[in-house]
Amino acid sequence: MMWHDAGPSVAVLPARGIYQPGVHFESAETKRRLKNLMDGYELTPRLKPVPFAPAALADILAVHDAAYVERVQRLSSGSGGDAGEFALVGPGTYEIALLAAGGAMAALAAVASGEVRNAYALCRPPGHHAGPTMGRGFCIFNNVAIAIHHLRNTSDVRCVAVIDWDVHHGNGTESAFLTDSETLVISVHQDGLYPMARGGTDAVGEGAGVGFNINVPLPAGSGGGAYLHAIDQIVLPALDAFDPEILIVSCGFDACAMDPLAAMMLSSAHYRLMTEKLLVWSDHRINGRVCFVHEGGYSAEYVPFCGLAVVEALSGVSTGCIDPFAPMIDAMPGQELQSHQRAAIDAARAAAPLLRPVC
Ligand SMILES: [Zn+2]
């Protein structure tokens, strides 16, 4: 999966011979350095690897239409190109994207079956922006949505909750389950970032799915105080109300303070605390069944420390690795909950039918 290559790029744009080419923000480096940090601190050998295989075409077609899948395949076997909007395909990306979806499927299935207590799928390319007919935002196939469909087709599990804390709105996952009353999708994201005109509190689901989609748009500049308040005030009460059988986290690390594509302020300590809050809930309610699936995060230097904190929390293993950036980030002014952030979270809570008091 580290071999997916968007080609010569300027940040997130193809260089096209008119700009000095560099490496695309969504490169292997963030993921590779996380894996290397886990290896270096001898965490990897203490985890149980979950075998996986590429997703089958039928699994992909449960979420994406055939014309889109053929387009990705054609670009991938040719000279590459954009499979939608900022969804660059390079040589072999189709096969690699099948692996990413297969990794998420295997991780979720292993948690559901009890083979492992929880799991982290360090897969690439990411998935949460990919919709039925087009890729978006570096996402080719929607790994989480594909994994949920596969789980439902192969087990008795019905009710699934997705917590998407990638800093961008999880539009693809929202669209995949908009009318589904058995999938609760909660996206906590930076307000108005990407995609444009998505992620508002008014998107609560459609038809039978009304109430089972919750958006929590947080103001730019939000830090640990705002995120932890959103978890306490919206995510955990919504999980209580929905009562899922298993929990999936679309885990982006682009809300970290060092991300080049967003303007939030999280540190590795905050990612650890958010993970621990979900673990406490899930230990109490669903025997700890939580599956994390990697999404965005573009600071090659800082994503590894945030990812290590999450995997330490999931595994219960403390490596002793010290995050060298944490003192600087945790001391940033505004890390505590601000009044305008509290107001945004109150508004998101008030807009969620699932959280309205029953009288
Ligand atoms: Zn993102």
Side-chain angles (χ1 to χ4, degrees):
M1 286 185 277
M2 303 298 174
W3 296 352
H4 163 57
D5 186 354
S9 304
V10 183
V12 300
L13 305 172
R16 293 198 184 97
I18 54 174
Y19 308 110
Q20 179 178 335
V23 177
H24 194 283
F25 276 170
E26 200 296 295
S27 75
E29 202 59 2
T30 42
K31 276 63 73 173
R32 188 178 279 136
R33 288 170 71 109
L34 167 53
K35 174 64 165 51
N36 288 344
L37 192 64
M38 290 167 52
D39 292 352
Y41 278 85
E42 298 180 345
L43 176 55
T44 315
R46 301 181 67 176
L47 308 178
K48 179 175 179 170
V50 175
F52 68 102
L57 182 58
D59 294 315
I60 305 296
L61 291 174
V63 173
H64 301 284
D65 73 17
Y68 170 62
V69 176
E70 282 166 22
R71 176 171 164 74
V72 173
Q73 207 169 6
R74 196 169 58 247
L75 291 171
S76 171
S77 60
S79 54
D82 199 334
E85 176 187 87
F86 301 120
L88 295 177
V89 169
T93 288
Y94 175 72
E95 287 78 10
I96 298 171
L98 294 182
L99 268 180
M105 284 163 47
L108 185 62
V111 174
S113 70
E115 182 187 336
V116 293
R117 186 168 175 84
N118 57 46
Y120 195 102
L122 183 54
C123 53
R124 175 176 181 267
H128 75 146
H129 291 308
T133 61
M134 65 184 280
R136 265 181 139 168
F138 329 145
C139 299
I140 306 300
F141 298 141
N142 195 311
N143 304 320
V144 162
I146 291 164
I148 292 171
H149 279 283
H150 178 259
L151 181 66
R152 290 220 176 96
N153 288 338
T154 54
S155 75
D156 295 330
V157 174
R158 301 263 65 89
C159 288
V160 177
V162 180
I163 313 301
D164 184 332
W165 66 39
D166 186 284
V167 80
H168 304 98
H169 175 239
N171 62 290
T173 312
E174 176 182 275
S175 295
F177 300 109
L178 203 59
T179 60
D180 183 350
S181 62
E182 293 183 325
T183 310
L184 172 65
V185 178
I186 306 175
S187 179
V188 183
H189 49 268
Q190 183 181 321
D191 190 11
L193 187 57
Y194 183 83
M196 297 292 282
R198 291 289 298 264
T201 57
D202 55 336
V204 296
E206 292 177 2
V210 167
F212 303 104
N213 191 76
I214 299 176
N215 283 325
V216 187
L218 295 177
S222 292
Y227 271 85
L228 293 168
H229 191 67
I231 300 277
D232 287 340
Q233 293 300 310
I234 296 181
V235 173
L236 298 180
L239 292 176
D240 280 339
F242 182 66
D243 196 22
E245 296 159 76
I246 194 165
L247 187 56
I248 304 177
V249 179
S250 260
C251 187
F253 291 109
D254 36 12
C256 83
M258 291 172 65
D259 196 88
L261 277 179
M264 298 307 216
M265 299 203 300
L266 296 186
S267 71
S268 64
H270 300 133
Y271 280 104
R272 186 189 302 274
L273 286 169
M274 296 197 301
T275 302
E276 287 172 350
K277 280 181 180 288
L278 295 185
L279 286 176
V280 167
W281 185 91
S282 60
D283 283 349
H284 183 60
R285 294 289 295 263
I286 53 173
N287 202 26
R289 283 193 295 271
V290 181
C291 178
F292 277 57
V293 178
H294 200 92
E295 299 283 0
Y298 308 102
S299 167
E301 293 77 16
Y302 200 47
V303 163
F305 293 101
C306 297
L308 186 77
V310 167
V311 179
E312 282 191 355
L314 289 173
S315 61
V317 175
S318 177
T319 65
C321 175
I322 293 171
D323 172 356
F325 300 103
M328 175 184 75
I329 297 171
D330 289 335
M332 285 177 173
Q335 281 290 7
E336 64 279 11
L337 178 66
Q338 308 291 307
S339 58
H340 67 292
Q341 297 161 355
R342 183 192 296 276
I345 293 165
D346 286 348
R349 186 183 164 100
L354 201 58
L355 297 176
R356 280 184 197 140
V358 179
C359 48

